[in-house]
PDB file of all heavy atoms in Angstrom:
ATOM      1  N   GLY A  13      89.939 114.736 163.256  1.00  0.00           N
ATOM      2  CA  GLY A  13      89.006 115.876 163.348  1.00  0.00           C
ATOM      3  C   GLY A  13      87.636 115.569 162.834  1.00  0.00           C
ATOM      4  O   GLY A  13      86.751 116.421 162.955  1.00  0.00           O
ATOM      5  N   THR A  14      87.492 114.434 162.131  1.00  0.00           N
ATOM      6  CA  THR A  14      86.099 114.032 161.670  1.00  0.00           C
ATOM      7  C   THR A  14      85.171 113.869 162.822  1.00  0.00           C
ATOM      8  O   THR A  14      85.480 113.166 163.796  1.00  0.00           O
ATOM      9  CB  THR A  14      86.194 112.710 160.813  1.00  0.00           C
ATOM     10  OG1 THR A  14      87.060 112.936 159.768  1.00  0.00           O
ATOM     11  CG2 THR A  14      84.791 112.359 160.374  1.00  0.00           C
ATOM     12  N   LEU A  15      84.034 114.467 162.751  1.00  0.00           N
ATOM     13  CA  LEU A  15      82.982 114.374 163.816  1.00  0.00           C
ATOM     14  C   LEU A  15      81.865 113.483 163.427  1.00  0.00           C
ATOM     15  O   LEU A  15      81.378 113.492 162.246  1.00  0.00           O
ATOM     16  CB  LEU A  15      82.508 115.794 164.139  1.00  0.00           C
ATOM     17  CG  LEU A  15      83.485 116.836 164.532  1.00  0.00           C
ATOM     18  CD1 LEU A  15      82.834 118.175 164.744  1.00  0.00           C
ATOM     19  CD2 LEU A  15      84.247 116.449 165.798  1.00  0.00           C
ATOM     20  N   HIS A  16      81.322 112.818 164.387  1.00  0.00           N
ATOM     21  CA  HIS A  16      80.208 111.955 164.249  1.00  0.00           C
ATOM     22  C   HIS A  16      79.104 112.384 165.233  1.00  0.00           C
ATOM     23  O   HIS A  16      79.460 112.342 166.456  1.00  0.00           O
ATOM     24  CB  HIS A  16      80.444 110.453 164.371  1.00  0.00           C
ATOM     25  CG  HIS A  16      81.537 109.935 163.478  1.00  0.00           C
ATOM     26  ND1 HIS A  16      81.213 109.368 162.207  1.00  0.00           N
ATOM     27  CD2 HIS A  16      82.844 109.925 163.517  1.00  0.00           C
ATOM     28  CE1 HIS A  16      82.321 109.035 161.609  1.00  0.00           C
ATOM     29  NE2 HIS A  16      83.331 109.408 162.361  1.00  0.00           N
ATOM     30  N   LEU A  17      77.940 112.791 164.768  1.00  0.00           N
ATOM     31  CA  LEU A  17      76.913 113.348 165.660  1.00  0.00           C
ATOM     32  C   LEU A  17      75.631 112.583 165.547  1.00  0.00           C
ATOM     33  O   LEU A  17      75.175 112.293 164.419  1.00  0.00           O
ATOM     34  CB  LEU A  17      76.682 114.778 165.279  1.00  0.00           C
ATOM     35  CG  LEU A  17      75.519 115.489 165.986  1.00  0.00           C
ATOM     36  CD1 LEU A  17      75.735 115.562 167.534  1.00  0.00           C
ATOM     37  CD2 LEU A  17      75.240 116.870 165.359  1.00  0.00           C
ATOM     38  N   LEU A  18      75.101 112.157 166.656  1.00  0.00           N
ATOM     39  CA  LEU A  18      73.747 111.524 166.719  1.00  0.00           C
ATOM     40  C   LEU A  18      72.820 112.351 167.607  1.00  0.00           C
ATOM     41  O   LEU A  18      73.320 112.965 168.620  1.00  0.00           O
ATOM     42  CB  LEU A  18      73.842 110.139 167.278  1.00  0.00           C
ATOM     43  CG  LEU A  18      74.472 109.013 166.398  1.00  0.00           C
ATOM     44  CD1 LEU A  18      74.679 107.805 167.232  1.00  0.00           C
ATOM     45  CD2 LEU A  18      73.581 108.699 165.216  1.00  0.00           C
ATOM     46  N   TRP A  19      71.513 112.457 167.263  1.00  0.00           N
ATOM     47  CA  TRP A  19      70.563 113.075 168.154  1.00  0.00           C
ATOM     48  C   TRP A  19      69.191 112.517 167.901  1.00  0.00           C
ATOM     49  O   TRP A  19      68.912 111.915 166.864  1.00  0.00           O
ATOM     50  CB  TRP A  19      70.624 114.602 168.071  1.00  0.00           C
ATOM     51  CG  TRP A  19      69.996 115.106 166.770  1.00  0.00           C
ATOM     52  CD1 TRP A  19      68.708 115.489 166.591  1.00  0.00           C
ATOM     53  CD2 TRP A  19      70.623 115.350 165.529  1.00  0.00           C
ATOM     54  NE1 TRP A  19      68.464 115.981 165.298  1.00  0.00           N
ATOM     55  CE2 TRP A  19      69.672 115.854 164.632  1.00  0.00           C
ATOM     56  CE3 TRP A  19      71.935 115.272 165.059  1.00  0.00           C
ATOM     57  CZ2 TRP A  19      69.948 116.213 163.267  1.00  0.00           C
ATOM     58  CZ3 TRP A  19      72.220 115.609 163.769  1.00  0.00           C
ATOM     59  CH2 TRP A  19      71.244 116.067 162.888  1.00  0.00           C
ATOM     60  N   SER A  20      68.319 112.652 168.908  1.00  0.00           N
ATOM     61  CA  SER A  20      66.927 112.249 168.659  1.00  0.00           C
ATOM     62  C   SER A  20      66.096 113.433 168.240  1.00  0.00           C
ATOM     63  O   SER A  20      66.371 114.588 168.594  1.00  0.00           O
ATOM     64  CB  SER A  20      66.352 111.670 169.973  1.00  0.00           C
ATOM     65  OG  SER A  20      66.314 112.602 171.027  1.00  0.00           O
ATOM     66  N   ASP A  21      65.056 113.124 167.430  1.00  0.00           N
ATOM     67  CA  ASP A  21      64.221 114.157 166.869  1.00  0.00           C
ATOM     68  C   ASP A  21      62.749 113.785 166.882  1.00  0.00           C
ATOM     69  O   ASP A  21      62.422 112.732 166.314  1.00  0.00           O
ATOM     70  CB  ASP A  21      64.661 114.457 165.383  1.00  0.00           C
ATOM     71  CG  ASP A  21      64.441 115.915 164.995  1.00  0.00           C
ATOM     72  OD1 ASP A  21      63.200 116.292 164.980  1.00  0.00           O
ATOM     73  OD2 ASP A  21      65.363 116.663 164.799  1.00  0.00           O
ATOM     74  N   LEU A  22      61.955 114.527 167.626  1.00  0.00           N
ATOM     75  CA  LEU A  22      60.598 114.169 167.822  1.00  0.00           C
ATOM     76  C   LEU A  22      59.764 115.022 166.836  1.00  0.00           C
ATOM     77  O   LEU A  22      59.445 116.221 167.146  1.00  0.00           O
ATOM     78  CB  LEU A  22      60.145 114.464 169.261  1.00  0.00           C
ATOM     79  CG  LEU A  22      58.759 113.980 169.665  1.00  0.00           C
ATOM     80  CD1 LEU A  22      58.575 112.513 169.458  1.00  0.00           C
ATOM     81  CD2 LEU A  22      58.388 114.394 171.026  1.00  0.00           C
ATOM     82  N   LEU A  23      59.425 114.480 165.715  1.00  0.00           N
ATOM     83  CA  LEU A  23      58.665 115.175 164.666  1.00  0.00           C
ATOM     84  C   LEU A  23      57.221 115.307 165.056  1.00  0.00           C
ATOM     85  O   LEU A  23      56.567 116.279 164.695  1.00  0.00           O
ATOM     86  CB  LEU A  23      58.859 114.516 163.338  1.00  0.00           C
ATOM     87  CG  LEU A  23      60.311 114.469 162.750  1.00  0.00           C
ATOM     88  CD1 LEU A  23      60.371 113.750 161.518  1.00  0.00           C
ATOM     89  CD2 LEU A  23      60.906 115.856 162.657  1.00  0.00           C
ATOM     90  N   SER A  24      56.636 114.317 165.773  1.00  0.00           N
ATOM     91  CA  SER A  24      55.365 114.313 166.264  1.00  0.00           C
ATOM     92  C   SER A  24      55.242 113.374 167.443  1.00  0.00           C
ATOM     93  O   SER A  24      56.269 112.743 167.779  1.00  0.00           O
ATOM     94  CB  SER A  24      54.328 113.973 165.140  1.00  0.00           C
ATOM     95  OG  SER A  24      54.468 112.578 164.796  1.00  0.00           O
ATOM     96  N   ALA A  25      54.088 113.278 168.094  1.00  0.00           N
ATOM     97  CA  ALA A  25      53.979 112.400 169.228  1.00  0.00           C
ATOM     98  C   ALA A  25      54.305 110.942 168.985  1.00  0.00           C
ATOM     99  O   ALA A  25      54.732 110.295 169.943  1.00  0.00           O
ATOM    100  CB  ALA A  25      52.551 112.539 169.746  1.00  0.00           C
ATOM    101  N   ASP A  26      54.164 110.484 167.786  1.00  0.00           N
ATOM    102  CA  ASP A  26      54.414 109.072 167.488  1.00  0.00           C
ATOM    103  C   ASP A  26      55.482 108.943 166.357  1.00  0.00           C
ATOM    104  O   ASP A  26      55.495 107.909 165.677  1.00  0.00           O
ATOM    105  CB  ASP A  26      53.103 108.295 167.081  1.00  0.00           C
ATOM    106  CG  ASP A  26      52.440 108.987 165.947  1.00  0.00           C
ATOM    107  OD1 ASP A  26      52.909 110.036 165.413  1.00  0.00           O
ATOM    108  OD2 ASP A  26      51.426 108.385 165.376  1.00  0.00           O
ATOM    109  N   ASP A  27      56.299 109.954 166.129  1.00  0.00           N
ATOM    110  CA  ASP A  27      57.278 109.901 165.096  1.00  0.00           C
ATOM    111  C   ASP A  27      58.644 110.366 165.645  1.00  0.00           C
ATOM    112  O   ASP A  27      59.130 111.468 165.478  1.00  0.00           O
ATOM    113  CB  ASP A  27      56.899 110.820 163.937  1.00  0.00           C
ATOM    114  CG  ASP A  27      57.745 110.694 162.712  1.00  0.00           C
ATOM    115  OD1 ASP A  27      58.571 109.744 162.745  1.00  0.00           O
ATOM    116  OD2 ASP A  27      57.693 111.489 161.796  1.00  0.00           O
ATOM    117  N   LEU A  28      59.344 109.420 166.404  1.00  0.00           N
ATOM    118  CA  LEU A  28      60.618 109.659 166.964  1.00  0.00           C
ATOM    119  C   LEU A  28      61.682 109.039 166.027  1.00  0.00           C
ATOM    120  O   LEU A  28      61.608 107.925 165.582  1.00  0.00           O
ATOM    121  CB  LEU A  28      60.759 109.030 168.319  1.00  0.00           C
ATOM    122  CG  LEU A  28      62.145 109.117 169.028  1.00  0.00           C
ATOM    123  CD1 LEU A  28      62.358 110.629 169.328  1.00  0.00           C
ATOM    124  CD2 LEU A  28      62.116 108.357 170.328  1.00  0.00           C
ATOM    125  N   ASN A  29      62.706 109.907 165.691  1.00  0.00           N
ATOM    126  CA  ASN A  29      63.739 109.438 164.797  1.00  0.00           C
ATOM    127  C   ASN A  29      65.136 109.703 165.424  1.00  0.00           C
ATOM    128  O   ASN A  29      65.248 110.461 166.390  1.00  0.00           O
ATOM    129  CB  ASN A  29      63.703 110.284 163.499  1.00  0.00           C
ATOM    130  CG  ASN A  29      62.480 110.035 162.714  1.00  0.00           C
ATOM    131  OD1 ASN A  29      62.298 109.206 161.904  1.00  0.00           O
ATOM    132  ND2 ASN A  29      61.408 110.851 162.984  1.00  0.00           N
ATOM    133  N   VAL A  30      66.127 109.020 164.889  1.00  0.00           N
ATOM    134  CA  VAL A  30      67.545 109.269 165.230  1.00  0.00           C
ATOM    135  C   VAL A  30      68.200 109.844 163.972  1.00  0.00           C
ATOM    136  O   VAL A  30      68.105 109.228 162.911  1.00  0.00           O
ATOM    137  CB  VAL A  30      68.284 108.021 165.729  1.00  0.00           C
ATOM    138  CG1 VAL A  30      69.737 108.311 165.840  1.00  0.00           C
ATOM    139  CG2 VAL A  30      67.638 107.548 167.078  1.00  0.00           C
ATOM    140  N   TYR A  31      68.863 111.002 164.171  1.00  0.00           N
ATOM    141  CA  TYR A  31      69.525 111.624 163.036  1.00  0.00           C
ATOM    142  C   TYR A  31      71.043 111.489 163.211  1.00  0.00           C
ATOM    143  O   TYR A  31      71.524 111.415 164.371  1.00  0.00           O
ATOM    144  CB  TYR A  31      69.124 113.139 162.978  1.00  0.00           C
ATOM    145  CG  TYR A  31      67.884 113.385 162.204  1.00  0.00           C
ATOM    146  CD1 TYR A  31      66.677 112.929 162.699  1.00  0.00           C
ATOM    147  CD2 TYR A  31      67.896 114.090 161.063  1.00  0.00           C
ATOM    148  CE1 TYR A  31      65.472 113.225 162.032  1.00  0.00           C
ATOM    149  CE2 TYR A  31      66.704 114.361 160.384  1.00  0.00           C
ATOM    150  CZ  TYR A  31      65.500 113.933 160.862  1.00  0.00           C
ATOM    151  OH  TYR A  31      64.364 114.209 160.166  1.00  0.00           O
ATOM    152  N   TYR A  32      71.754 111.509 162.097  1.00  0.00           N
ATOM    153  CA  TYR A  32      73.248 111.344 162.104  1.00  0.00           C
ATOM    154  C   TYR A  32      73.828 112.365 161.168  1.00  0.00           C
ATOM    155  O   TYR A  32      73.302 112.632 160.064  1.00  0.00           O
ATOM    156  CB  TYR A  32      73.570 109.957 161.658  1.00  0.00           C
ATOM    157  CG  TYR A  32      75.027 109.742 161.355  1.00  0.00           C
ATOM    158  CD1 TYR A  32      76.039 109.693 162.381  1.00  0.00           C
ATOM    159  CD2 TYR A  32      75.509 109.633 160.004  1.00  0.00           C
ATOM    160  CE1 TYR A  32      77.380 109.481 162.015  1.00  0.00           C
ATOM    161  CE2 TYR A  32      76.814 109.452 159.701  1.00  0.00           C
ATOM    162  CZ  TYR A  32      77.722 109.402 160.754  1.00  0.00           C
ATOM    163  OH  TYR A  32      79.067 109.230 160.418  1.00  0.00           O
ATOM    164  N   ARG A  33      74.925 112.960 161.547  1.00  0.00           N
ATOM    165  CA  ARG A  33      75.735 113.805 160.631  1.00  0.00           C
ATOM    166  C   ARG A  33      77.165 113.434 160.895  1.00  0.00           C
ATOM    167  O   ARG A  33      77.684 113.107 161.949  1.00  0.00           O
ATOM    168  CB  ARG A  33      75.531 115.323 160.963  1.00  0.00           C
ATOM    169  CG  ARG A  33      74.201 115.834 160.631  1.00  0.00           C
ATOM    170  CD  ARG A  33      74.094 117.363 160.717  1.00  0.00           C
ATOM    171  NE  ARG A  33      74.533 117.905 159.434  1.00  0.00           N
ATOM    172  CZ  ARG A  33      74.073 119.117 158.976  1.00  0.00           C
ATOM    173  NH1 ARG A  33      73.214 119.814 159.698  1.00  0.00           N
ATOM    174  NH2 ARG A  33      74.557 119.546 157.867  1.00  0.00           N
ATOM    175  N   ARG A  34      77.911 113.533 159.691  1.00  0.00           N
ATOM    176  CA  ARG A  34      79.413 113.247 159.648  1.00  0.00           C
ATOM    177  C   ARG A  34      80.080 114.373 158.980  1.00  0.00           C
ATOM    178  O   ARG A  34      79.605 114.815 157.921  1.00  0.00           O
ATOM    179  CB  ARG A  34      79.671 111.922 159.102  1.00  0.00           C
ATOM    180  CG  ARG A  34      81.124 111.564 158.938  1.00  0.00           C
ATOM    181  CD  ARG A  34      81.333 110.241 158.162  1.00  0.00           C
ATOM    182  NE  ARG A  34      82.680 109.790 158.085  1.00  0.00           N
ATOM    183  CZ  ARG A  34      83.460 110.158 157.199  1.00  0.00           C
ATOM    184  NH1 ARG A  34      83.024 110.995 156.197  1.00  0.00           N
ATOM    185  NH2 ARG A  34      84.780 109.670 157.163  1.00  0.00           N
ATOM    186  N   GLY A  35      81.190 114.839 159.549  1.00  0.00           N
ATOM    187  CA  GLY A  35      81.879 115.887 158.958  1.00  0.00           C
ATOM    188  C   GLY A  35      82.426 116.919 159.897  1.00  0.00           C
ATOM    189  O   GLY A  35      82.672 116.584 161.040  1.00  0.00           O
ATOM    190  N   GLN A  36      82.570 118.140 159.380  1.00  0.00           N
ATOM    191  CA  GLN A  36      83.118 119.271 160.280  1.00  0.00           C
ATOM    192  C   GLN A  36      82.030 120.330 160.410  1.00  0.00           C
ATOM    193  O   GLN A  36      81.869 121.139 159.524  1.00  0.00           O
ATOM    194  CB  GLN A  36      84.313 119.824 159.618  1.00  0.00           C
ATOM    195  CG  GLN A  36      85.460 118.922 159.470  1.00  0.00           C
ATOM    196  CD  GLN A  36      86.245 118.734 160.713  1.00  0.00           C
ATOM    197  OE1 GLN A  36      86.046 119.489 161.690  1.00  0.00           O
ATOM    198  NE2 GLN A  36      87.132 117.681 160.801  1.00  0.00           N
ATOM    199  N   ALA A  37      81.285 120.217 161.477  1.00  0.00           N
ATOM    200  CA  ALA A  37      80.239 121.235 161.859  1.00  0.00           C
ATOM    201  C   ALA A  37      79.315 121.511 160.737  1.00  0.00           C
ATOM    202  O   ALA A  37      79.179 122.665 160.322  1.00  0.00           O
ATOM    203  CB  ALA A  37      80.934 122.471 162.331  1.00  0.00           C
ATOM    204  N   GLY A  38      78.682 120.531 160.121  1.00  0.00           N
ATOM    205  CA  GLY A  38      77.546 120.801 159.189  1.00  0.00           C
ATOM    206  C   GLY A  38      78.040 120.640 157.730  1.00  0.00           C
ATOM    207  O   GLY A  38      77.495 121.236 156.860  1.00  0.00           O
ATOM    208  N   ALA A  39      78.971 119.717 157.512  1.00  0.00           N
ATOM    209  CA  ALA A  39      79.419 119.484 156.083  1.00  0.00           C
ATOM    210  C   ALA A  39      78.683 118.605 155.284  1.00  0.00           C
ATOM    211  O   ALA A  39      78.746 118.463 154.082  1.00  0.00           O
ATOM    212  CB  ALA A  39      80.895 119.039 156.106  1.00  0.00           C
TER     213      ALA A  39
END
């Protein structure tokens, strides 16, 4: 049941990041 989540996050026009979370829906 452990979840691994990746997503892209555009903080500004030249600041693209990849974010990661691990756990159970926001742990």
Side-chain angles (χ1 to χ4, degrees):
T14 300
L15 301 178
H16 301 268
L17 171 66
L18 288 169
W19 73 91
S20 63
D21 210 293
L22 187 62
L23 299 178
S24 67
D26 58 354
D27 189 11
L28 178 65
N29 298 270
V30 172
Y31 276 66
Y32 167 76
R33 293 191 84 152
R34 177 181 183 275
Q36 297 281 347

